[in-house]
Amino acid sequence: MSLQRVTEATFPSGARVHLPGRGHGHVYHAPGPAGSPTLILLHGLWATGSLNWFPAFAPLREHFGVAAVDLRGHGRGLPVDGHFRVSDCADDVAALIDALDTGPAILVGYSLGGVVAQLTWRRHPDRVAGLVLCATARNFAGTWREQMFFRGMLGATLAARAASALRARGQGDEVNGPGLHDGTVSPIDIIEEATALGRRLPAWAFDEMRRCNPLAAVGAMAALGRFSSHSWIGEVDVPAAVVVTARDRLISPIRQRKLAAAIPEATVHEVDADHGACVLGADRFIPALVDACESVAGRARRSVA
């Protein structure tokens, strides 16, 4: 992969999308075959829609429409104003589904994106036709070590926010730089996206990660520590599948399987790979992902027939 270059087939073209009352987001969108459902692809922490999903776009587009959004504080997504809240991301996803006018969509979430997908169903069940949850869990702070880690993330978030506020006062609020932006897509962004063509994947991937707001990323980690769907995930009433990264050293496969067991009739699709499977283990991850999406789509079609 280090020798590959970005081509026009690597990912769909990106576009600004107006989310009424929320601002302008950024989405990579491509229609699928006639009559096919739309997948809303939700990326993981410190990634972007294109970076997380670029190996999967072409295989998924053979069967589905795809729309990969940049979450708040990530890439060209909406800015984070203070706290990073998963609920804000979930509401953004619902607004995106409305803006795209797809009708209820299948949410495909990876890691942090899987948490956003769960909460989008919880807050906006009428927008969700199905769930495909990858390398994610119901909660992330079960042991005392994990609880201490996420408490540390909360402290780091508060410290970083205070430092950012001091820097803003000292610089007349002109603190935007790589990864710190106002959520709009400027002509420079458009030019940079166009000139990504021909670049080697590692260099492009590094620049995509640099677009993420570090304060938002740390805040998202703290938010993961506070998240738990234990009390309501068993109420999911749409078709669901869980893609388990069986060698995951970041999110325990045991936790991932417990998520699957908690969702009525969820199918399990195991991948012999670590947490970076979406890119670094794509040859194993993508077949499982496609199977999971087809399983959910097939059951969703039967439920409305």
Side-chain angles (χ1 to χ4, degrees):
M1 185 172 291
S2 64
L3 299 178
Q4 295 180 23
R5 296 181 182 273
V6 177
T7 70
E8 291 182 352
T10 304
F11 48 85
S13 59
R16 288 181 76 185
V17 57
H18 177 60
L19 306 178
R22 311 189 71 78
H24 288 88
H26 191 80
V27 64
Y28 301 88
H29 183 219
S36 61
T38 296
L39 308 178
I40 305 296
L41 306 180
L42 306 171
H43 62 76
L45 182 70
W46 220 304
T48 64
S50 58
L51 177 57
N52 198 119
W53 297 109
F54 77 86
F57 279 126
L60 291 175
R61 286 174 62 181
E62 294 180 8
H63 309 276
F64 309 98
V66 295
V69 65
D70 284 357
L71 297 176
R72 284 184 173 241
H74 293 71
R76 301 171 178 85
L78 291 165
V80 172
D81 53 348
H83 295 285
F84 182 98
R85 291 176 289 265
V86 177
S87 58
D88 287 337
C89 295
D91 295 346
D92 293 341
V93 172
L96 174 67
I97 293 171
D98 291 344
L100 296 177
D101 196 25
T102 64
I106 297 172
L107 306 186
V108 183
Y110 198 94
S111 193
L112 169 63
V115 170
V116 175
Q118 292 177 60
L119 197 58
T120 303
W121 172 84
R122 176 70 169 171
R123 294 172 67 88
H124 306 280
D126 57 321
R127 308 313 206 284
V128 181
L131 294 171
V132 178
L133 307 174
C134 311
T136 194
R138 298 176 298 174
N139 76 301
F140 303 84
T143 69
W144 71 268
R145 291 181 185 273
E146 291 168 336
Q147 291 171 10
M148 293 301 294
F149 171 79
F150 284 112
R151 287 174 185 171
M153 285 299 101
L154 177 59
T157 302
L158 296 175
R161 189 177 298 124
S164 179
L166 289 173
R167 187 166 61 252
R169 284 198 293 268
Q171 300 178 4
D173 291 327
E174 295 178 0
V175 297
N176 285 351
L180 298 174
H181 56 82
D182 63 1
T184 63
V185 179
S186 69
I188 293 176
D189 288 319
I190 296 169
I191 291 169
E192 288 182 355
E193 187 167 316
T195 56
L197 296 177
R199 298 191 67 198
R200 291 200 184 276
L201 285 176
W204 165 76
F206 179 72
D207 283 347
E208 283 297 291
M209 293 178 69
R210 287 179 66 245
R211 289 185 179 277
C212 298
N213 183 328
L215 179 58
V218 174
M221 292 181 70
L224 287 176
R226 298 190 298 271
F227 177 81
S228 175
S229 61
H230 274 87
S231 63
W232 50 262
I233 196 65
E235 300 169 12
V236 167
D237 57 358
V238 295
V242 176
V243 180
V244 176
T245 42
R247 293 182 180 270
D248 204 314
R249 290 172 290 183
L250 188 60
I251 299 176
S252 168
I254 295 173
R255 279 226 171 105
Q256 298 180 48
R257 295 183 187 109
K258 285 183 176 179
L259 169 65
I263 302 174
E265 299 182 14
T267 57
V268 179
H269 308 258
E270 298 229 358
V271 180
D272 186 26
D274 202 346
H275 196 71
C278 56
V279 174
L280 301 179
D283 58 331
R284 286 157 285 166
F285 173 72
I286 291 175
L289 174 66
V290 173
D291 284 347
C293 292
E294 289 185 327
S295 172
V296 168
R299 284 178 281 151
R301 282 192 294 268
R302 290 192 293 272
S303 69
V304 298

PDB file of all heavy atoms in Angstrom, residues 68-96:
ATOM      1  N   ALA A  68     -19.813   9.072   3.075  1.00  0.00           N
ATOM      2  CA  ALA A  68     -18.882   9.084   4.210  1.00  0.00           C
ATOM      3  C   ALA A  68     -18.727  10.512   4.688  1.00  0.00           C
ATOM      4  O   ALA A  68     -18.280  11.387   3.944  1.00  0.00           O
ATOM      5  CB  ALA A  68     -17.528   8.511   3.798  1.00  0.00           C
ATOM      6  N   VAL A  69     -19.083  10.751   5.926  1.00  0.00           N
ATOM      7  CA  VAL A  69     -19.051  12.104   6.481  1.00  0.00           C
ATOM      8  C   VAL A  69     -17.824  12.276   7.362  1.00  0.00           C
ATOM      9  O   VAL A  69     -17.342  11.319   7.968  1.00  0.00           O
ATOM     10  CB  VAL A  69     -20.346  12.373   7.284  1.00  0.00           C
ATOM     11  CG1 VAL A  69     -20.435  11.456   8.500  1.00  0.00           C
ATOM     12  CG2 VAL A  69     -20.457  13.834   7.683  1.00  0.00           C
ATOM     13  N   ASP A  70     -17.299  13.498   7.416  1.00  0.00           N
ATOM     14  CA  ASP A  70     -16.279  13.849   8.406  1.00  0.00           C
ATOM     15  C   ASP A  70     -16.995  14.271   9.684  1.00  0.00           C
ATOM     16  O   ASP A  70     -17.792  15.224   9.672  1.00  0.00           O
ATOM     17  CB  ASP A  70     -15.402  15.007   7.901  1.00  0.00           C
ATOM     18  CG  ASP A  70     -14.390  14.560   6.854  1.00  0.00           C
ATOM     19  OD1 ASP A  70     -14.329  13.354   6.553  1.00  0.00           O
ATOM     20  OD2 ASP A  70     -13.676  15.429   6.329  1.00  0.00           O
ATOM     21  N   LEU A  71     -16.745  13.566  10.780  1.00  0.00           N
ATOM     22  CA  LEU A  71     -17.375  13.905  12.052  1.00  0.00           C
ATOM     23  C   LEU A  71     -16.867  15.238  12.575  1.00  0.00           C
ATOM     24  O   LEU A  71     -15.850  15.767  12.119  1.00  0.00           O
ATOM     25  CB  LEU A  71     -17.097  12.804  13.084  1.00  0.00           C
ATOM     26  CG  LEU A  71     -17.670  11.417  12.762  1.00  0.00           C
ATOM     27  CD1 LEU A  71     -17.219  10.416  13.821  1.00  0.00           C
ATOM     28  CD2 LEU A  71     -19.192  11.455  12.676  1.00  0.00           C
ATOM     29  N   ARG A  72     -17.561  15.768  13.546  1.00  0.00           N
ATOM     30  CA  ARG A  72     -17.171  17.054  14.146  1.00  0.00           C
ATOM     31  C   ARG A  72     -15.728  17.037  14.614  1.00  0.00           C
ATOM     32  O   ARG A  72     -15.267  16.087  15.239  1.00  0.00           O
ATOM     33  CB  ARG A  72     -18.067  17.367  15.340  1.00  0.00           C
ATOM     34  CG  ARG A  72     -19.442  17.845  14.957  1.00  0.00           C
ATOM     35  CD  ARG A  72     -20.264  18.229  16.149  1.00  0.00           C
ATOM     36  NE  ARG A  72     -21.504  18.830  15.667  1.00  0.00           N
ATOM     37  CZ  ARG A  72     -21.882  20.083  15.924  1.00  0.00           C
ATOM     38  NH1 ARG A  72     -21.109  20.847  16.669  1.00  0.00           N
ATOM     39  NH2 ARG A  72     -23.008  20.558  15.436  1.00  0.00           N
ATOM     40  N   GLY A  73     -15.017  18.116  14.307  1.00  0.00           N
ATOM     41  CA  GLY A  73     -13.645  18.257  14.757  1.00  0.00           C
ATOM     42  C   GLY A  73     -12.649  17.415  13.999  1.00  0.00           C
ATOM     43  O   GLY A  73     -11.461  17.445  14.292  1.00  0.00           O
ATOM     44  N   HIS A  74     -13.118  16.661  13.018  1.00  0.00           N
ATOM     45  CA  HIS A  74     -12.268  15.778  12.232  1.00  0.00           C
ATOM     46  C   HIS A  74     -12.302  16.205  10.762  1.00  0.00           C
ATOM     47  O   HIS A  74     -13.373  16.479  10.220  1.00  0.00           O
ATOM     48  CB  HIS A  74     -12.745  14.329  12.339  1.00  0.00           C
ATOM     49  CG  HIS A  74     -12.581  13.730  13.708  1.00  0.00           C
ATOM     50  ND1 HIS A  74     -13.363  14.114  14.780  1.00  0.00           N
ATOM     51  CD2 HIS A  74     -11.720  12.795  14.177  1.00  0.00           C
ATOM     52  CE1 HIS A  74     -12.993  13.418  15.853  1.00  0.00           C
ATOM     53  NE2 HIS A  74     -11.996  12.612  15.511  1.00  0.00           N
ATOM     54  N   GLY A  75     -11.142  16.241  10.136  1.00  0.00           N
ATOM     55  CA  GLY A  75     -11.092  16.578   8.724  1.00  0.00           C
ATOM     56  C   GLY A  75     -11.735  17.919   8.437  1.00  0.00           C
ATOM     57  O   GLY A  75     -11.420  18.935   9.055  1.00  0.00           O
ATOM     58  N   ARG A  76     -12.688  17.903   7.503  1.00  0.00           N
ATOM     59  CA  ARG A  76     -13.397  19.125   7.116  1.00  0.00           C
ATOM     60  C   ARG A  76     -14.775  19.200   7.766  1.00  0.00           C
ATOM     61  O   ARG A  76     -15.658  19.897   7.284  1.00  0.00           O
ATOM     62  CB  ARG A  76     -13.527  19.179   5.597  1.00  0.00           C
ATOM     63  CG  ARG A  76     -12.195  19.156   4.845  1.00  0.00           C
ATOM     64  CD  ARG A  76     -12.435  18.979   3.351  1.00  0.00           C
ATOM     65  NE  ARG A  76     -11.198  18.986   2.589  1.00  0.00           N
ATOM     66  CZ  ARG A  76     -10.423  17.922   2.386  1.00  0.00           C
ATOM     67  NH1 ARG A  76     -10.751  16.753   2.934  1.00  0.00           N
ATOM     68  NH2 ARG A  76      -9.337  18.001   1.665  1.00  0.00           N
ATOM     69  N   GLY A  77     -14.962  18.446   8.851  1.00  0.00           N
ATOM     70  CA  GLY A  77     -16.260  18.393   9.507  1.00  0.00           C
ATOM     71  C   GLY A  77     -16.598  19.671  10.253  1.00  0.00           C
ATOM     72  O   GLY A  77     -15.805  20.614  10.331  1.00  0.00           O
ATOM     73  N   LEU A  78     -17.790  19.700  10.814  1.00  0.00           N
ATOM     74  CA  LEU A  78     -18.235  20.836  11.613  1.00  0.00           C
ATOM     75  C   LEU A  78     -17.265  21.074  12.772  1.00  0.00           C
ATOM     76  O   LEU A  78     -16.661  20.129  13.280  1.00  0.00           O
ATOM     77  CB  LEU A  78     -19.639  20.575  12.164  1.00  0.00           C
ATOM     78  CG  LEU A  78     -20.777  20.549  11.139  1.00  0.00           C
ATOM     79  CD1 LEU A  78     -22.007  19.919  11.747  1.00  0.00           C
ATOM     80  CD2 LEU A  78     -21.079  21.955  10.648  1.00  0.00           C
ATOM     81  N   PRO A  79     -17.118  22.317  13.183  1.00  0.00           N
ATOM     82  CA  PRO A  79     -16.207  22.593  14.293  1.00  0.00           C
ATOM     83  C   PRO A  79     -16.788  22.129  15.619  1.00  0.00           C
ATOM     84  O   PRO A  79     -17.995  21.936  15.760  1.00  0.00           O
ATOM     85  CB  PRO A  79     -16.072  24.118  14.259  1.00  0.00           C
ATOM     86  CG  PRO A  79     -17.365  24.592  13.670  1.00  0.00           C
ATOM     87  CD  PRO A  79     -17.749  23.545  12.652  1.00  0.00           C
ATOM     88  N   VAL A  80     -15.908  21.939  16.579  1.00  0.00           N
ATOM     89  CA  VAL A  80     -16.320  21.596  17.945  1.00  0.00           C
ATOM     90  C   VAL A  80     -16.257  22.865  18.773  1.00  0.00           C
ATOM     91  O   VAL A  80     -15.205  23.486  18.908  1.00  0.00           O
ATOM     92  CB  VAL A  80     -15.408  20.512  18.550  1.00  0.00           C
ATOM     93  CG1 VAL A  80     -15.731  20.305  20.029  1.00  0.00           C
ATOM     94  CG2 VAL A  80     -15.557  19.213  17.789  1.00  0.00           C
ATOM     95  N   ASP A  81     -17.397  23.248  19.323  1.00  0.00           N
ATOM     96  CA  ASP A  81     -17.452  24.473  20.125  1.00  0.00           C
ATOM     97  C   ASP A  81     -17.447  24.099  21.607  1.00  0.00           C
ATOM     98  O   ASP A  81     -18.471  23.935  22.224  1.00  0.00           O
ATOM     99  CB  ASP A  81     -18.696  25.299  19.778  1.00  0.00           C
ATOM    100  CG  ASP A  81     -19.976  24.492  19.879  1.00  0.00           C
ATOM    101  OD1 ASP A  81     -19.890  23.255  19.999  1.00  0.00           O
ATOM    102  OD2 ASP A  81     -21.059  25.104  19.853  1.00  0.00           O
ATOM    103  N   GLY A  82     -16.256  23.934  22.143  1.00  0.00           N
ATOM    104  CA  GLY A  82     -16.157  23.559  23.551  1.00  0.00           C
ATOM    105  C   GLY A  82     -16.063  22.057  23.697  1.00  0.00           C
ATOM    106  O   GLY A  82     -15.110  21.439  23.242  1.00  0.00           O
ATOM    107  N   HIS A  83     -17.058  21.443  24.327  1.00  0.00           N
ATOM    108  CA  HIS A  83     -17.051  20.002  24.580  1.00  0.00           C
ATOM    109  C   HIS A  83     -17.322  19.216  23.304  1.00  0.00           C
ATOM    110  O   HIS A  83     -18.128  19.625  22.469  1.00  0.00           O
ATOM    111  CB  HIS A  83     -18.117  19.639  25.618  1.00  0.00           C
ATOM    112  CG  HIS A  83     -17.863  20.206  26.975  1.00  0.00           C
ATOM    113  ND1 HIS A  83     -16.908  19.706  27.832  1.00  0.00           N
ATOM    114  CD2 HIS A  83     -18.440  21.247  27.632  1.00  0.00           C
ATOM    115  CE1 HIS A  83     -16.905  20.412  28.955  1.00  0.00           C
ATOM    116  NE2 HIS A  83     -17.825  21.352  28.860  1.00  0.00           N
ATOM    117  N   PHE A  84     -16.656  18.068  23.171  1.00  0.00           N
ATOM    118  CA  PHE A  84     -17.010  17.107  22.123  1.00  0.00           C
ATOM    119  C   PHE A  84     -18.122  16.240  22.676  1.00  0.00           C
ATOM    120  O   PHE A  84     -17.953  15.563  23.692  1.00  0.00           O
ATOM    121  CB  PHE A  84     -15.812  16.246  21.738  1.00  0.00           C
ATOM    122  CG  PHE A  84     -16.112  15.279  20.621  1.00  0.00           C
ATOM    123  CD1 PHE A  84     -15.769  15.581  19.321  1.00  0.00           C
ATOM    124  CD2 PHE A  84     -16.746  14.065  20.878  1.00  0.00           C
ATOM    125  CE1 PHE A  84     -16.045  14.691  18.280  1.00  0.00           C
ATOM    126  CE2 PHE A  84     -17.037  13.175  19.855  1.00  0.00           C
ATOM    127  CZ  PHE A  84     -16.686  13.493  18.554  1.00  0.00           C
ATOM    128  N   ARG A  85     -19.272  16.245  22.012  1.00  0.00           N
ATOM    129  CA  ARG A  85     -20.418  15.456  22.459  1.00  0.00           C
ATOM    130  C   ARG A  85     -20.822  14.483  21.365  1.00  0.00           C
ATOM    131  O   ARG A  85     -21.075  14.898  20.220  1.00  0.00           O
ATOM    132  CB  ARG A  85     -21.592  16.378  22.819  1.00  0.00           C
ATOM    133  CG  ARG A  85     -21.357  17.223  24.070  1.00  0.00           C
ATOM    134  CD  ARG A  85     -22.523  18.176  24.305  1.00  0.00           C
ATOM    135  NE  ARG A  85     -22.533  19.238  23.316  1.00  0.00           N
ATOM    136  CZ  ARG A  85     -21.974  20.445  23.503  1.00  0.00           C
ATOM    137  NH1 ARG A  85     -21.338  20.707  24.636  1.00  0.00           N
ATOM    138  NH2 ARG A  85     -22.025  21.346  22.558  1.00  0.00           N
ATOM    139  N   VAL A  86     -20.895  13.211  21.709  1.00  0.00           N
ATOM    140  CA  VAL A  86     -21.329  12.214  20.743  1.00  0.00           C
ATOM    141  C   VAL A  86     -22.755  12.520  20.284  1.00  0.00           C
ATOM    142  O   VAL A  86     -23.115  12.281  19.127  1.00  0.00           O
ATOM    143  CB  VAL A  86     -21.245  10.805  21.349  1.00  0.00           C
ATOM    144  CG1 VAL A  86     -21.762   9.754  20.368  1.00  0.00           C
ATOM    145  CG2 VAL A  86     -19.807  10.473  21.747  1.00  0.00           C
ATOM    146  N   SER A  87     -23.567  13.078  21.171  1.00  0.00           N
ATOM    147  CA  SER A  87     -24.944  13.416  20.800  1.00  0.00           C
ATOM    148  C   SER A  87     -24.982  14.443  19.668  1.00  0.00           C
ATOM    149  O   SER A  87     -25.857  14.376  18.793  1.00  0.00           O
ATOM    150  CB  SER A  87     -25.715  13.943  22.008  1.00  0.00           C
ATOM    151  OG  SER A  87     -25.069  15.085  22.565  1.00  0.00           O
ATOM    152  N   ASP A  88     -24.036  15.394  19.655  1.00  0.00           N
ATOM    153  CA  ASP A  88     -23.979  16.353  18.553  1.00  0.00           C
ATOM    154  C   ASP A  88     -23.690  15.631  17.245  1.00  0.00           C
ATOM    155  O   ASP A  88     -24.283  15.944  16.200  1.00  0.00           O
ATOM    156  CB  ASP A  88     -22.887  17.400  18.803  1.00  0.00           C
ATOM    157  CG  ASP A  88     -23.268  18.401  19.877  1.00  0.00           C
ATOM    158  OD1 ASP A  88     -24.479  18.576  20.122  1.00  0.00           O
ATOM    159  OD2 ASP A  88     -22.358  19.005  20.467  1.00  0.00           O
ATOM    160  N   CYS A  89     -22.756  14.679  17.279  1.00  0.00           N
ATOM    161  CA  CYS A  89     -22.434  13.916  16.070  1.00  0.00           C
ATOM    162  C   CYS A  89     -23.648  13.131  15.584  1.00  0.00           C
ATOM    163  O   CYS A  89     -23.911  13.055  14.383  1.00  0.00           O
ATOM    164  CB  CYS A  89     -21.272  12.974  16.339  1.00  0.00           C
ATOM    165  SG  CYS A  89     -19.704  13.773  16.704  1.00  0.00           S
ATOM    166  N   ALA A  90     -24.376  12.524  16.520  1.00  0.00           N
ATOM    167  CA  ALA A  90     -25.566  11.763  16.147  1.00  0.00           C
ATOM    168  C   ALA A  90     -26.605  12.662  15.487  1.00  0.00           C
ATOM    169  O   ALA A  90     -27.230  12.292  14.480  1.00  0.00           O
ATOM    170  CB  ALA A  90     -26.153  11.084  17.385  1.00  0.00           C
ATOM    171  N   ASP A  91     -26.799  13.854  16.033  1.00  0.00           N
ATOM    172  CA  ASP A  91     -27.756  14.789  15.437  1.00  0.00           C
ATOM    173  C   ASP A  91     -27.270  15.273  14.073  1.00  0.00           C
ATOM    174  O   ASP A  91     -28.076  15.510  13.162  1.00  0.00           O
ATOM    175  CB  ASP A  91     -27.972  15.976  16.374  1.00  0.00           C
ATOM    176  CG  ASP A  91     -28.639  15.575  17.689  1.00  0.00           C
ATOM    177  OD1 ASP A  91     -29.170  14.442  17.775  1.00  0.00           O
ATOM    178  OD2 ASP A  91     -28.615  16.389  18.640  1.00  0.00           O
ATOM    179  N   ASP A  92     -25.946  15.419  13.910  1.00  0.00           N
ATOM    180  CA  ASP A  92     -25.392  15.778  12.602  1.00  0.00           C
ATOM    181  C   ASP A  92     -25.715  14.695  11.574  1.00  0.00           C
ATOM    182  O   ASP A  92     -26.052  14.999  10.423  1.00  0.00           O
ATOM    183  CB  ASP A  92     -23.868  15.932  12.685  1.00  0.00           C
ATOM    184  CG  ASP A  92     -23.422  17.106  13.537  1.00  0.00           C
ATOM    185  OD1 ASP A  92     -24.227  18.021  13.780  1.00  0.00           O
ATOM    186  OD2 ASP A  92     -22.249  17.089  13.967  1.00  0.00           O
ATOM    187  N   VAL A  93     -25.582  13.431  11.966  1.00  0.00           N
ATOM    188  CA  VAL A  93     -25.848  12.326  11.048  1.00  0.00           C
ATOM    189  C   VAL A  93     -27.313  12.338  10.620  1.00  0.00           C
ATOM    190  O   VAL A  93     -27.634  12.160   9.433  1.00  0.00           O
ATOM    191  CB  VAL A  93     -25.480  10.973  11.691  1.00  0.00           C
ATOM    192  CG1 VAL A  93     -25.944   9.807  10.821  1.00  0.00           C
ATOM    193  CG2 VAL A  93     -23.976  10.892  11.920  1.00  0.00           C
ATOM    194  N   ALA A  94     -28.220  12.561  11.564  1.00  0.00           N
ATOM    195  CA  ALA A  94     -29.644  12.633  11.218  1.00  0.00           C
ATOM    196  C   ALA A  94     -29.905  13.778  10.240  1.00  0.00           C
ATOM    197  O   ALA A  94     -30.663  13.620   9.268  1.00  0.00           O
ATOM    198  CB  ALA A  94     -30.476  12.814  12.486  1.00  0.00           C
ATOM    199  N   ALA A  95     -29.260  14.928  10.470  1.00  0.00           N
ATOM    200  CA  ALA A  95     -29.423  16.066   9.571  1.00  0.00           C
ATOM    201  C   ALA A  95     -28.853  15.757   8.192  1.00  0.00           C
ATOM    202  O   ALA A  95     -29.400  16.183   7.172  1.00  0.00           O
ATOM    203  CB  ALA A  95     -28.750  17.295  10.166  1.00  0.00           C
ATOM    204  N   LEU A  96     -27.746  15.009   8.143  1.00  0.00           N
ATOM    205  CA  LEU A  96     -27.156  14.629   6.860  1.00  0.00           C
ATOM    206  C   LEU A  96     -28.101  13.724   6.077  1.00  0.00           C
ATOM    207  O   LEU A  96     -28.275  13.903   4.858  1.00  0.00           O
ATOM    208  CB  LEU A  96     -25.828  13.919   7.095  1.00  0.00           C
ATOM    209  CG  LEU A  96     -25.168  13.325   5.839  1.00  0.00           C
ATOM    210  CD1 LEU A  96     -24.734  14.435   4.892  1.00  0.00           C
ATOM    211  CD2 LEU A  96     -23.978  12.450   6.221  1.00  0.00           C
TER     212      LEU A  96
END
